[in-house]
Amino acid sequence: MYLVVRSASAQAEPIRVLVTGAAGQIAYSLLFSIAKGDVFGKDQPIILVLLDIPPMLPVLDGVVMELQDCALPLLREVIPTDKVEVGFKNLDAAILVGSMPRKEGMERKDLLKANVAIFKSQGAALEKYAKKTVKVLVVGNPANTNCLIASKSAPSIPKENFSCLTRLDHNRASAQVAMRVGVSTGDVKNVIIWGNHSSTQYPDVNHALINLDGEEVCAYDAVKDDSWLKGNFITTVQQRGAEVIKARKLSSAMSAAKAICDHMRDIWFGTSDGEFVSMGVYSTGNSYGVPDDLMYSFPVMIKNKSWKVVDGLSINDFSRAKMDATAAELIEERDTALAFLGVE
């Protein structure tokens, strides 16, 4: 007599996960991790939907072939498409990587105008075709404002279901502190990225803890260099993306893909007790005086696929000024974007 044991993956229903800009370099670093179970779980089958613009479809075919050739047990289906009605149908998760890149000589407002149109249409597609429970992560820049526009264009999907990527900045900050102290990044927790995913972001370690020989020590005591933490540390994290472009002649891809995986995995499975992570989320009635109706990066804890801003952290004058400056930039971006849409 033989006993047949069914694995959990044989029983679980596949989830539909969309990646836009799927022929691009971030997606190329991202798709394998999603398809092999690093993000949504080792027993969760996946239907991967890959959306890109028509000229990129031949490249997308090559990506599909490679995914097939990986022979990944959890990957049930790969659907390449340039049509939103296919791409956004019945989604459980949407990772919006594709956006209009900034070209040489392009004004920021021109970049904003092009992306407002893209993310308005993608928000409308989410509204029309996706599940109302869909979790949406916006990566394409300017990520915070693109995320806000997408959420406003999908009014029946809760604002809480939308977030934008500041985990890359968070990971950069953790890594800088870890290298400075000489510990693993796993020994650093609770750094914060406040505000916009731009050069005005504020990497804050006032509440960060470092594990030194089994004891949790606050970052300022572990680093023992206040001028670095208030100076070069902040500018290094703020300018890191530009430095990568300068060195590679391409924007961050591997590290961006890793951050996307971290962000979505935390949404799916929650944060560890006593730990918080950084995420661009909808600002409404927070305890930090951040204006409402922005997608602003806060420290959050996540449980049962719902995030909550970590309230009650002390904010000194230095931090307050940095938090206000990045909020001012986001207000300007939002108002410019809404003017393009003809929305008050």
Side-chain angles (χ1 to χ4, degrees), residues 27-38 48 67 70 72:
Y28 193 77
S29 292
L30 171 67
L31 294 170
F32 177 72
S33 295
I34 294 174
K36 81 180 177 75
D38 290 351
L48 259 183
L67 283 166
C70 287
L72 297 163

Side-chain angles (χ1 to χ4, degrees), residues 19-73:
V19 177
T20 71
Q25 58 155 356
I26 292 176
Y28 193 77
S29 292
L30 171 67
L31 294 170
F32 177 72
S33 295
I34 294 174
K36 81 180 177 75
D38 290 351
V39 179
F40 298 103
K42 298 294 183 188
D43 59 356
Q44 178 58 66
I46 301 274
I47 297 169
L48 259 183
V49 187
L50 308 181
L51 181 72
D52 216 314
I53 56 176
M56 299 305 291
L57 288 182
V59 178
L60 209 50
D61 286 339
V63 174
V64 172
M65 284 188 263
E66 285 211 70
L67 283 166
Q68 291 166 343
D69 296 349
C70 287
L72 297 163

Side-chain angles (χ1 to χ4, degrees), residues 108 112 115-116 119 138 140-152 164 196-197 294-296 329-338:
R108 188 172 175 84
L112 203 56
N115 281 298
V116 161
F119 284 87
V138 175
N141 286 319
N144 300 59
T145 300
N146 287 345
C147 187
L148 184 68
I149 295 303
S151 72
K152 285 179 178 292
C164 72
N196 200 2
H197 175 63
L294 298 174
M295 287 290 175
Y296 188 99
E329 182 182 56
L330 280 170
I331 290 167
E332 186 184 349
E333 277 189 20
R334 177 197 65 195
D335 293 349
T336 304
L338 293 180

